[in-house]
Amino acid sequence: MTAFRAALLDLDGTLLDSIPDLAFAANAMRVELGMIALREDVVATFVGKGVDNLVRRSLAGSLDAADPTPEAFARAREAFYRHYHLVNGERAQVYPGVLEGLKLMRDQGLKLAVVTNKPTEFTLPLLQRTGLAGFFDAVVCGDTCERRKPDPDQVHHACDLLGVTPAEAVTIGDSINDAQAGRSAGTQVLVVPYGYNEGRDVRELDVDGIVDTLVNAAQWVALWNQNQNAAKIPA
């Protein structure tokens, strides 16, 4: 086994609770299109597979509804993007333990990257507005690579940008997309239980650990690295 040199972190549901802003934009879109607003907790279950999927699900009011017509989707997407640009980062909150956990990881010498399905045009301003941008050596967004999570492309790209192998990285997220992307890319995988995961229990996921906060994630990584370094010392 290899010691970790990098941590790859999801954004929405892992670092930030961005549901208030996303739900506002989704409901503003629905109202503009003549529909009633949805409860915030319902919109939360639609998050996790990128903004376009959020638009489709919010338009339908369901996780499993049939796709809208191209014309209806284009109209809804334009409205969502317009409203989300107005509120992005306005009410999003950094989760407890995130700042402390990121500092601990940085103090361990880990390289840090954000790996998110959110488009670049929303991700970079959100990181700036919430004060998180300075922690990260790389940011990989939903439009950076050809394929998004749960495919491994973004994880591989983040490793390339940081100059590490997947075996030297741990993926930290909150959803099945993060778990599948990290696992198929060849990283270890940790998940937090407080995120979105489309309303599913994170205990169902194929992961290496469930950590209550990013502080616990940093401690998990530190213990892992101590064990790997100890194993290299001749008896």
Side-chain angles (χ1 to χ4, degrees):
M1 305 296 280
T2 306
F4 294 124
R5 296 176 55 214
L8 316 178
L9 298 108
D10 179 52
L11 183 57
D12 297 311
T14 302
L15 298 175
L16 295 171
D17 179 8
S18 50
I19 289 299
D21 294 339
L22 291 167
F24 179 91
N27 280 325
M29 172 198 79
R30 284 178 59 88
V31 170
E32 183 175 315
L33 298 175
M35 295 180 282
I36 63 171
L38 300 170
R39 295 199 320 270
E40 192 171 283
D41 63 316
V42 173
V43 177
T45 67
F46 299 162
V47 175
K49 285 188 166 63
V51 171
D52 284 357
N53 274 304
L54 173 59
V55 170
R56 290 188 186 94
R57 292 168 171 180
S58 298
L59 187 61
S62 168
L63 277 169
D64 304 311
D67 284 343
T69 65
E71 295 78 14
F73 173 73
R75 188 165 59 252
R77 186 181 189 274
E78 187 279 327
F80 178 90
Y81 270 60
R82 177 164 29 85
H83 289 296
Y84 190 41
H85 270 298
L86 294 175
V87 299
N88 181 27
E90 191 171 286
R91 292 186 290 170
Q93 296 291 317
V94 178
Y95 283 113
V98 165
L99 294 176
E100 297 88 343
L102 292 175
K103 289 174 183 175
L104 287 171
M105 292 181 201
R106 189 172 60 185
D107 290 346
Q108 292 178 43
L110 294 177
K111 298 178 180 180
L112 303 178
V114 168
V115 181
T116 176
N117 280 346
K118 187 186 290 290
T120 302
E121 66 187 277
F122 298 122
T123 299
L124 297 183
L126 183 57
L127 289 171
Q128 290 289 345
R129 290 170 188 169
T130 54
L132 296 179
F135 283 102
F136 297 102
D137 304 290
V139 178
V140 179
C141 303
D143 49 1
T144 303
C145 300
E146 183 178 349
R147 290 180 292 271
R148 299 183 305 230
K149 295 183 292 184
D151 288 292
D153 294 25
Q154 291 172 286
V155 175
H156 284 147
H157 185 60
C159 289
D160 289 343
L161 291 175
L162 298 180
V164 302
T165 66
E168 296 173 316
V170 56
T171 296
I172 304 172
D174 67 298
S175 74
I176 188 170
N177 292 323
D178 305 314
Q180 290 179 343
R183 181 66 79 228
S184 60
T187 73
Q188 296 288 302
V189 179
L190 300 178
V191 290
V192 295
Y194 53 72
Y196 311 141
N197 197 32
E198 300 175 353
R200 298 171 58 182
D201 192 325
V202 294
R203 289 176 293 184
E204 301 173 8
L205 302 178
D206 174 22
V207 298
D208 299 291
I210 299 173
V211 288
D212 288 338
T213 68
L214 286 199
V215 171
N216 300 126
Q219 293 167 342
W220 191 96
V221 169
L223 181 60
W224 173 283
N225 282 353
Q226 288 172 13
N227 290 337
Q228 304 316 309
N229 292 331
K232 295 177 183 177
I233 300 174

